[in-house]
Amino acid sequence: MTTPFQKASEWIDAENAQDPNIELDQNKEYPKELLYSDRMYKKLMEFEPNASEEVQIASKAQHICRWKVARESYPMDRVGYLKWREELKKFHAKTTAGILEKAGYDQTFIDRVSFLIEKKLLKKDAETQLLEDVICLVFLDYYLEPFVHKHDEEKLKNIIKKTWDKMSDKGHQEALKINYSEENLNLIKASLGL
């Protein structure tokens, strides 16, 4: 007997597996958002093994079908970027809600997952904060390195500072355990005045 969680997870993976963008991980190719989804779920279970089913699904569906809402379809300025991010949250929540309904979840569960994916009440809602911590940890662990090669030091320091500010104390402790390159560890320390 397949549980709603198993069905939803499979269908989220199936959607993300359609990503035409490919990313390499240990010399193996993956659809970009499928890899991101796997990393989010794995990091969540390491960081908070007792996370609720709602948070588990929200972690897997955080970027579901992200490639379908192109950044280029919004003005290439700060305002355009923020509008794109807001629209993405709604798109991810709506896409996930459709899957959860099909999997047999009730409306209360679906609404809670949507609330989490849209990152409502950050710093006030414990599960929204947990999800944000995981997002930041995944960024620092897997995506900081490629970022370093794209941006100048001042911009990087600003990105790291903003990432840090979104995290809880528990998230900070976990972030300092990540195995960074010496260069990136120095950059993080410089950004945070450690």
Side-chain angles (χ1 to χ4, degrees):
M1 174 83 180
T2 317
T3 66
F5 180 79
Q6 288 167 325
K7 283 185 205 165
S9 295
E10 256 174 58
W11 292 336
I12 289 165
D13 286 348
E15 288 295 325
N16 280 329
Q18 294 173 46
D19 189 349
N21 304 294
I22 297 299
E23 196 168 305
L24 274 179
D25 182 47
Q26 296 173 346
N27 297 320
K28 195 171 171 214
E29 290 187 344
Y30 296 90
K32 186 179 173 193
E33 295 309 343
L34 181 61
L35 181 62
Y36 180 78
S37 174
D38 288 348
R39 285 169 169 172
M40 281 289 297
Y41 184 72
K42 183 172 173 261
K43 186 67 76 181
L44 172 67
M45 298 323 287
E46 287 167 2
F47 183 59
E48 186 49 73
N50 299 318
S52 71
E53 212 165 290
E54 291 90 338
V55 180
Q56 289 182 46
I57 288 185
S59 75
K60 285 188 73 62
Q62 190 59 36
H63 279 185
I64 191 167
C65 300
R66 175 166 278 219
W67 68 93
K68 293 182 179 179
V69 183
R71 169 67 184 98
E72 296 73 34
S73 57
Y74 293 83
M76 295 304 282
D77 56 15
R78 180 95 184 121
V79 174
Y81 173 75
L82 294 173
K83 179 108 180 79
W84 173 66
R85 290 292 302 265
E86 272 313 300
E87 291 302 315
L88 272 174
K89 285 183 201 171
K90 290 177 189 155
F91 169 73
H92 297 320
K94 190 176 174 194
T95 305
T96 307
I99 288 173
L100 296 180
E101 199 175 329
K102 201 170 75 166
Y105 282 106
D106 65 26
Q107 198 55 50
T108 306
F109 186 96
I110 294 168
D111 290 347
R112 181 64 180 160
V113 172
S114 295
F115 175 97
L116 293 168
I117 288 174
E118 291 185 44
K119 292 196 274 194
K120 292 185 175 173
L121 294 182
L122 184 60
K123 297 280 185 194
K124 294 190 177 99
D125 183 280
E127 290 190 322
T128 301
Q129 185 58 55
L130 169 58
L131 188 63
E132 186 63 43
D133 278 345
V134 173
I135 291 164
C136 294
L137 289 167
V138 165
F139 168 71
L140 291 168
D141 201 353
Y142 297 101
Y143 300 97
L144 178 62
E145 185 67 42
F147 244 72
V148 167
H149 304 296
K150 286 186 203 158
H151 301 289
D152 64 64
E153 193 170 328
E154 276 319 297
K155 180 155 189 182
L156 285 167
K157 282 182 176 176
N158 192 27
I159 289 167
I160 289 166
K161 180 86 178 72
K162 280 184 177 165
T163 301
W164 204 257
D165 288 347
K166 290 181 200 169
M167 296 170 81
S168 68
D169 290 341
K170 186 183 174 196
H172 293 156
Q173 288 164 20
E174 195 67 20
L176 291 171
K177 293 179 196 166
I178 292 170
N179 189 16
Y180 303 103
S181 68
E182 193 178 342
E183 182 190 6
N184 287 352
L185 183 59
N186 290 337
L187 176 67
I188 289 166
K189 286 180 172 174
S191 309
L192 305 172
L194 296 175

